[in-house]
Amino acid sequence: MNRILFSVLLGVSMYGRSADLQKTRFSNETQTPSPAVIAASPYGDVFVGLDLQGSLGKKINMGSIKRLRDNDNDGVAEEVSHYVSVDNPRGIVSIGNKLIVLHCTQKDGKVYGQDISVFTDANDDGVADGPGKVLVKGIGNPKFIQSRGADHCTNNIRLGIDGWLYISVGDFGFVDAEGTDGKKLTCYGGGVARVRPDGTELEMFIHGTRNVYDVAIDPFMNVFSRENTNDGVGWWVRFTHYIQSGEYGYPCLYKNFIDEMIPALGMYGGGSGTGALFLQEPSWPAKYNNKALMADWGRSQIIIHEVTPDGPSFTNEPKKFLEVPQVADLDVDASGRMYVAAWAGAGYQGSSSKGYVERYVPVGWQYMEFPSLIKNSNDQLLDLINSESATARVYAQQEILRRNDTSMSNDLIKLAYSANTLEARVAAVYTLAQLAKASAFPTLEKLAEDPLLREHAIRLLGDRKSFNQSANIKAVVQYLNDSNPRVRVAASVALGRMNNVAAAKELLAMAIAPKSKAAPKDENADQVSKFTSEKVDPNNPLVDIEFDISEFKSLTLTIDSLDWNTGDHAAWVNPVIILKNGKEIDLTKVKWQEAKGSWGKTLVNKDCQGNALENLKGEALKGIGTHATSNIVYTIPQDAETFKAQGTITKGASSSASFKFIVSEKIKKEGPVKSGTKCSNPNPDMIVPHVARQALVNLGAHDLVIDALNSGDSKLQKSALGVMKFMHHKKVIDALEGAYNQANS
C-alpha cells in the first residue's frame, strides 16, 4: 500500500448493496489483524496473510498465514489455525493441498528479498507440514525492501485459466530472480511477471507500471489492474488493460513519448489500488457478476470497473460497489462466497489489534457444497469445466493437469465445440493445450478456424516457449490480417515468442503506429480557476474566483487536484453569492445541501482537520475549509447572478499542493481526470502496431529493420525507426548513424 492516503472523488454512481447483499464479520481483529492478502480455496477455506508491520516495516518474524474455516456456513469462521510463519506475505494461491505464497525472506537476521514458495498440508489440519519449497528465488529487491519496507515490492499472485501464475511487481523490481528450472529474469521498475505453478518458465508479461498490487483476470485472459498510484503526471490511480508484451510507460514514456506506450483506460484521481478480482459466479446478481472488482485501500472502497469491448481492448466505467475500511484484498470461492480483507486503520506500520475479514453473499443465496476434486471422476471434472463458475473451471482444470491423463484430450476437444458457454469452451481449449502440450498444436490449428475460439487457439500456439518452436508458424502468420483486431494481437504476440524471424516482414508492415488521440477536454474548462504551486505566494497564496451563475439551478463548489497534488488542505475564502439587486449572501452563514469529501472534513472557519482556518502565515481566514477532492452543494435563489470568492492553500498543507477550483451545477464524478495528458486516453488503434513492434524487438529482427531503413520506402522506414528505438544492439546504432550521415552528406 502506498504511503500516501488519497482523496475520495464523490458523485460516483453507487450500487445499492444493503438491499441485496448480506455481510458478516468472518474473522475479528484478534484472529486476523493487519490482513495484507487473502485467498480462498474453491471449498471455502480462507487463507489470510497477516503483516503486523504493514507496508513500511523492516523487521523480521512479524508475518504469518492463518487458515479460516466456517464449518456451519453461518458466515463466521469457527476454526482458525496458524498455517505458517512468513515475513511480509504478499500473495497466496491455494491449489489442492498446496499453498503457493509470495513472501519476504531473511538473511543475517534482517529482512532480505522475496521468494515464491509452495507449502503442503497433506493431513488437512490447517498447518503446513514443514518448510516451503522455493519455486522462484529472489523476486524482490533486497536494497529497497531493507531501506524502505515492502510497500513497492513484488505484491501479489493470481492464477489464470491459462495455467500461469501472474505476479504483480512494484517499481522496486528485481534482479536475477530464478525459477526451479534455473531460468533467471530481471525486471527494472514495475510490471507483471508470470511463472508456471511448478516454478518453471519465469518470464515478463508486461512492463512499465509503477506499483501494481494485483490483477484481475477474466475467463478470456484479459488482465486488468487498478494500479497503485502512478506518478507520471500526478499521484493518481489508473485502470488498465494489460496486453501481453505491452509497454505501459513508467517511468520513461508517458509524459513525452505517449505514442510509444499503451495508454491506460482511464485515470481517476487519488487512490491506492490493492486487491483485484474478476467475479464470474452464477449465484451473484447480474449487476455485480462478470465484472472487474478492484479494491482501493486509499478510498476504502471496492470499485466495479464495467468494461465494454473496444477493438482489441476496452473502455470502462467505474462504479462504487462496497465500502470497506482500507480494503486490502478480496477473493471468492466456488460456492459464491466473497471474502474481503479490511486493514481497518492498522496504519502503515501495521497493528496487532486492527483489521478483520468480511464475508459477502447475495441475499437469498443458498450454500451448495463444492465437490472434492480429488474424488471426482474424469467426467465430473469435465462437467465442472462446463460450469458457469470461473472458480470451478480454474480448479477443475488444475486437478485435470495434476492427473496428467492425456486420454481426456478427446473429451476436451468435444467440450471446446459443445460447452454451454463461450467461457467454458475457452476453458476447455486452455486445458487441452496444457494437458497435451505440443501434441495439441494440430488441434489448435483446427480450433482456430472457429472465429469464437481463434484468438485463444492462436495465442496458445506461441504461449509456451519451452516447446512452441514445433508449432506451425504459417498457421499463425495467416491471421495477422484477420478482421478481428484481438486475433491480430494474439498472432503478433505469438510470433514474437516463437524464435523465428520468418514473419518479421509481415510484422514490420503492421508496426506503423498512429498518432495518439487528443486528451479529453475538461467539461468544466470555462468554470475552472487553477491554482498551482508555481503561483504560490508563501505569505498570502490566493486566487480570485468569480463566475456567472445566473443560469444555474444549483451551485456546486468543487476543489480538485492538479498534477502532483495529494489531496491537500484548501479553502474557499469569503465565498458569496451576489444577487441581481446587488445584495450579497455570505455562504459561511448558509447551510449547504450537502458537503462530502475524502479523509478530511468540510467546516466553516476551520480547516479540514478541525483547526482554526489560517493562511501559511498563521493569519485567520473567514471561509470554508476543505480539501481536494471535495464537493459542496448549495440550493440557490432564482435571482442569483454571480459567485465570488478566493481560493487558497491553508496552513498544514504540503508545499507542493496544487488545486483547481470548479464552480458548476455538477458534482464532480469519477470520470477520467481531465489533466491534459494522453497517457490515460484509450487508443485502440495503436495496440496492434505496438505489439507488432514488440514482437520484432523480442525476435531480434535487426537485419530486417536495417534493410527497411535503407529501402527507400517511406512507410517501411517509418516503421523501422519506430522499432529501432527499442532495439539496443550495436549494428542498429551503426545503421542509424550511417543513415544520418548519408542524409546530411
Side-chain angles (χ1 to χ4, degrees):
M1 284 152 279
N2 197 279
R3 294 176 56 217
I4 301 173
L5 182 64
F6 293 93
S7 61
V8 178
L9 299 181
L10 298 177
V12 185
S13 51
M14 177 72 176
Y15 286 118
R17 66 175 174 85
S18 59
D20 53 12
L21 294 182
Q22 178 185 359
K23 177 179 72 173
T24 56
R25 183 69 60 89
F26 193 69
S27 65
N28 61 36
E29 63 278 1
T30 61
Q31 296 168 317
T32 55
S34 300
V37 64
I38 193 169
S41 79
Y43 310 104
D45 285 339
V46 181
F47 297 90
V48 186
L50 310 182
D51 189 358
L52 298 187
Q53 61 181 331
S55 61
L56 298 180
K58 310 174 191 66
K59 299 176 182 178
I60 60 173
N61 303 325
M62 297 286 285
S64 65
I65 295 174
K66 304 292 184 181
R67 190 192 75 175
L68 280 57
R69 182 172 281 179
D70 177 7
N71 294 308
D72 58 4
N73 194 40
D74 64 350
V76 179
E78 294 84 25
E79 184 182 326
V80 180
S81 57
H82 181 90
Y83 185 87
V84 71
S85 294
V86 289
D87 289 310
N88 300 103
R90 279 296 180 271
I92 305 173
V93 170
S94 170
I95 303 177
N97 63 7
K98 300 185 183 303
L99 201 68
I100 300 175
V101 181
L102 169 65
H103 59 94
C104 281
T105 59
Q106 299 181 12
K107 184 177 181 179
D108 300 327
K110 298 179 180 179
V111 67
Y112 191 61
Q114 290 178 284
D115 289 349
I116 298 176
S117 303
V118 59
F119 298 88
T120 302
D121 176 15
N123 61 356
D124 193 33
D125 64 351
V127 179
D129 296 340
K133 174 188 175 183
V134 176
L135 298 177
V136 181
K137 180 180 179 181
I139 199 160
N141 191 317
K143 176 181 178 181
F144 295 113
I145 291 172
Q146 289 183 339
S147 63
R148 176 172 172 138
D151 67 337
H152 285 235
C153 66
T154 304
N155 288 313
N156 219 322
I157 53 178
R158 189 163 289 280
L159 180 65
I161 195 64
D162 61 353
W164 290 88
L165 286 171
Y166 286 79
I167 309 163
S168 298
V169 182
D171 57 329
F172 287 175
F174 55 82
V175 177
D176 281 342
E178 184 176 356
T180 55
D181 56 359
K183 184 175 180 181
K184 293 186 177 181
L185 182 68
T186 293
C187 175
Y188 296 116
V192 176
R194 65 179 192 169
V195 71
R196 303 305 296 181
D198 62 358
T200 61
E201 302 181 53
L202 178 66
E203 63 180 31
M204 291 306 298
F205 182 70
I206 60 96
H207 179 262
T209 63
R210 182 172 179 267
N211 194 21
V212 54
Y213 192 89
D214 195 9
V215 294
I217 306 175
D218 80 1
F220 303 115
M221 285 310 307
N222 294 298
V223 180
F224 303 102
S225 180
R226 187 178 173 93
E227 187 185 343
N228 187 346
T229 61
N230 189 324
D231 64 357
V233 289
W235 292 88
W236 295 331
V237 291
R238 302 161 195 251
F239 180 72
T240 308
H241 173 211
Y242 293 147
I243 296 173
Q244 188 172 6
S245 80
E247 172 59 53
Y248 285 84
Y250 183 83
C252 305
L253 300 179
Y254 56 44
K255 292 205 73 172
N256 300 307
F257 303 97
I258 295 167
D259 295 333
E260 298 173 11
M261 57 167 279
I262 296 179
L265 301 185
M267 181 163 57
Y268 298 103
S272 188
T274 45
L277 171 71
F278 193 93
L279 179 67
Q280 187 180 78
E281 296 301 326
S283 59
W284 278 75
K287 64 179 178 179
Y288 306 132
N289 207 25
N290 299 306
K291 305 284 194 298
L293 277 53
M294 319 301 291
D296 194 304
W297 186 87
R299 299 190 183 195
S300 293
Q301 296 171 11
I302 299 175
I303 296 165
I304 287 178
H305 285 266
E306 295 205 47
V307 294
T308 301
D310 183 20
S313 187
F314 300 89
T315 57
N316 93 104
E317 180 183 358
K319 297 180 179 180
K320 286 184 186 178
F321 173 43
L322 298 174
E323 294 183 357
V324 181
Q326 293 180 330
V327 56
D329 203 4
L330 68 160
D331 206 1
V332 67
D333 67 25
S335 297
R337 295 171 290 189
M338 182 185 295
Y339 306 94
V340 178
W343 194 254
Y348 301 117
Q349 299 288 355
S351 170
S352 61
S353 61
K354 294 182 179 181
Y356 50 83
V357 175
E358 295 177 337
R359 190 200 75 167
Y360 290 85
V361 294
V363 170
W365 169 89
Q366 296 293 320
Y367 172 67
M368 293 184 63
E369 184 177 2
F370 188 68
S372 172
L373 292 171
I374 200 168
K375 295 178 181 179
N376 277 180
S377 67
N378 287 354
D379 287 343
Q380 288 172 320
L381 291 175
L382 291 167
D383 287 341
L384 289 172
I385 293 290
N386 200 10
S387 167
E388 295 182 16
S389 163
T391 307
R393 293 193 298 269
V394 166
Y395 286 101
Q397 179 193 83
Q398 287 298 309
E399 176 60 19
I400 291 172
L401 298 177
R402 186 193 68 80
R403 295 181 186 186
N404 197 28
D405 183 354
T406 55
S407 69
M408 298 182 70
S409 295
N410 286 335
D411 292 321
L412 287 165
I413 294 170
K414 292 177 183 177
L415 200 58
Y417 286 108
S418 64
N420 296 332
T421 65
L422 182 57
E423 289 90 340
R425 295 180 66 194
V426 168
V429 174
Y430 279 105
T431 308
L432 169 69
Q434 295 173 74
L435 181 64
K437 298 184 171 64
S439 298
F441 287 161
T443 302
L444 291 173
E445 290 184 38
K446 185 68 175 176
L447 289 168
E449 296 175 6
D450 185 330
L452 294 177
L453 299 178
R454 183 172 299 156
E455 167 195 349
H456 307 285
I458 294 302
R459 172 179 176 156
L460 287 165
L461 287 170
D463 192 47
R464 304 283 293 276
K465 288 185 177 181
S466 55
F467 53 81
N468 67 8
Q469 292 83 2
S470 62
N472 179 5
I473 192 171
K474 293 181 180 179
V476 181
V477 172
Q478 66 177 317
Y479 292 114
L480 285 175
N481 294 312
D482 193 86
S483 60
N484 184 346
R486 293 182 64 93
V487 173
R488 298 200 296 274
V489 167
S492 298
V493 172
L495 290 168
R497 300 175 57 79
M498 296 174 74
N499 197 29
N500 188 331
V501 296
K505 186 175 181 180
E506 289 86 350
L507 288 167
L508 186 65
M510 297 169 59
I512 303 176
K515 287 292 183 180
S516 59
K517 291 185 177 181
K521 182 181 178 181
D522 191 332
E523 62 185 11
N524 292 311
D526 59 343
Q527 297 282 346
V528 174
S529 181
K530 296 184 178 180
F531 180 78
T532 68
S533 55
E534 289 77 15
K535 295 176 64 176
V536 168
D537 174 357
N539 294 316
N540 188 29
L542 291 167
V543 58
D544 292 328
I545 302 167
E546 185 171 349
F547 290 118
D548 179 1
I549 61 172
S550 58
E551 301 297 323
F552 284 18
K553 296 180 180 178
S554 65
L555 172 66
T556 297
L557 305 180
T558 299
I559 300 181
D560 198 9
S561 3
L562 286 170
D563 295 358
W564 305 101
N565 187 33
T566 60
D568 227 317
H569 305 202
W572 301 89
V573 178
N574 297 320
V576 296
I577 292 175
I578 303 174
L579 305 181
K580 292 179 180 179
N581 62 8
K583 181 180 178 181
E584 293 187 357
I585 298 175
D586 184 350
L587 291 183
T588 65
K589 299 179 180 179
V590 174
K591 185 176 181 180
W592 49 66
Q593 184 178 333
E594 63 176 298
K596 295 183 179 180
S598 59
W599 49 267
K601 298 180 180 179
T602 299
L603 301 167
V604 174
N605 296 330
K606 294 183 179 180
D607 67 18
C608 59
Q609 293 181 320
N611 302 313
L613 191 63
E614 298 176 345
N615 63 18
L616 297 183
K617 294 174 65 176
E619 298 170 338
L621 298 173
K622 178 185 177 184
I624 302 171
T626 183
H627 43 80
T629 297
S630 64
N631 295 276
I632 312 172
V633 182
Y634 292 93
T635 300
I636 59 173
Q638 291 183 349
D639 56 347
E641 186 170 58
T642 305
F643 170 80
K644 189 173 182 180
Q646 289 182 306
T648 189
I649 185 174
T650 58
K651 187 176 181 180
S654 166
S655 61
S656 62
S658 56
F659 310 105
K660 55 183 175 183
F661 294 80
I662 304 172
V663 180
S664 72
E665 292 186 275
K666 302 176 181 178
I667 294 177
K668 178 178 172 51
K669 296 184 178 181
E670 188 175 11
V673 172
K674 316 295 189 191
S675 65
T677 178
K678 295 178 284 187
C679 62
S680 294
N681 184 26
N683 187 10
D685 293 340
M686 58 81 60
I687 292 174
V688 171
H690 182 96
V691 295
R693 179 198 80 190
Q694 295 294 86
L696 289 164
V697 173
N698 292 335
L699 289 171
H702 308 121
D703 294 335
L704 176 84
V705 296
I706 291 171
D707 290 345
L709 181 69
N710 298 324
S711 68
D713 185 315
S714 60
K715 288 186 177 180
L716 287 179
Q717 288 174 329
K718 181 180 179 181
S719 182
L721 287 169
V723 175
M724 284 177 158
K725 294 178 184 180
F726 294 85
M727 283 183 162
H728 308 300
H729 195 282
K730 185 178 185 302
K731 65 167 61 176
V732 172
I733 297 172
D734 291 343
L736 288 167
E737 184 177 340
Y740 176 82
N741 291 335
Q742 183 176 359
N744 288 276
S745 61

